[in-house]
Amino acid sequence: HVLKRLYEKKIRYSVMELPFFSFIDTLPEFSRQPLSQIVRAIVEAAVNAKVDFDVALRWLEDSKYDDDAKTLQARAPAQPPVVKHPITGQPTWFCNVHSHSSRLRKQRELQYGTEIFEDGASRINKSDMYYGDDDVISDQDFDHLDQITNNNIKYVAMKPGDAVLLDNYQTMHGRNVFKGQRKHAVTWFA
């Protein structure tokens, strides 16, 4: 029933958070709303010029950041959670709920430890999952999806120099917490 609900409502994920706009809250009250709209429109146009899908930006109501930063969140368009594999035509779960959900990510951090990124784009590369209409996905649905995913995990221990090739349509992939620098390369084959 969870899959049916996700399929009917579609899913949507946030692709980044930009916690850089606290200066707006220091301005006179009368200027905050119009400036917020202008900033959102300019940043949205800039982001959309760089990505190959339409991104909608929205102001987060509650900051997730220690410094209570005013934050814009970029969300991808609504999409079905199941698509047809481009070669086989078979239905394929392709919505990355498990890896993009901030709730499930926090649960993994409690179990495995928190990742520590000291440099790079980690502060803006935050993601979360929503229904296609921007409603919040329920904790019960996330728990169900987490259980199904965890029941099907196969761990692959890697060492420096290893390479893994996988069909992105048939394999949900991720990595666990590790020590050291995060370096990876991704190549898409058609």
Side-chain angles (χ1 to χ4, degrees):
H1 303 230
V2 172
L3 179 58
K4 182 180 182 203
R5 185 168 34 260
L6 289 172
Y7 198 75
E8 288 173 351
K9 292 186 81 168
K10 297 190 176 181
I11 55 90
R12 184 174 201 181
Y13 60 95
S14 63
V15 293
M16 77 173 87
E17 293 180 359
L18 304 166
F20 311 121
F21 302 101
S22 295
F23 72 90
I24 293 173
D25 291 334
T26 67
L27 299 173
E29 182 72 34
F30 73 89
S31 66
R32 292 179 193 167
Q33 160 112 40
L35 184 59
S36 292
Q37 291 174 342
I38 291 167
V39 166
R40 187 197 57 74
I42 290 170
V43 174
E44 189 171 86
V47 169
N48 278 313
K50 293 289 189 183
V51 298
D52 59 356
F53 55 92
D54 290 329
V55 172
L57 269 66
R58 63 185 322 138
W59 292 106
L60 290 180
E61 297 296 321
D62 298 313
S63 178
K64 302 174 185 177
Y65 299 92
D66 294 336
D67 57 1
D68 202 32
K70 186 169 182 70
T71 303
L72 275 172
Q73 183 184 67
R75 293 188 183 182
Q79 64 186 49
V82 175
V83 298
K84 287 185 177 180
H85 189 282
I87 305 297
T88 68
Q90 294 295 313
T92 304
W93 176 254
F94 193 69
C95 75
N96 296 321
V97 169
H98 199 263
S99 59
H100 285 292
S101 164
S102 67
R103 179 180 181 276
L104 296 179
R105 196 169 41 252
K106 287 174 187 169
Q107 286 179 346
R108 286 191 302 273
E109 287 178 355
L110 291 174
Q111 183 175 359
Y112 299 112
T114 303
E115 288 191 275
I116 299 172
F117 297 110
E118 295 178 5
D119 60 5
S122 298
R123 181 158 176 162
I124 68 169
N125 288 339
K126 304 289 184 193
S127 59
D128 210 346
M129 292 300 304
Y130 305 88
Y131 287 117
D133 60 4
D134 289 319
D135 277 350
V136 174
I137 297 174
S138 72
D139 289 348
Q140 294 82 4
D141 285 359
F142 275 132
D143 290 343
H144 180 75
L145 295 167
D146 190 43
Q147 179 183 10
I148 290 170
T149 301
N150 285 322
N151 289 345
N152 290 284
I153 288 177
K154 305 292 182 220
Y155 289 95
V156 177
M158 296 178 68
K159 58 186 183 301
D162 283 353
V164 175
L165 298 176
L166 53 89
D167 182 337
N168 206 37
Y169 281 92
Q170 293 183 337
T171 308
M172 183 172 63
H173 57 280
R175 61 183 163 66
N176 212 329
V177 176
F178 63 93
K179 292 184 180 180
Q181 279 192 306
R182 177 181 183 209
K183 292 184 180 182
H184 68 281
V186 175
T187 300
W188 293 84
F189 299 99

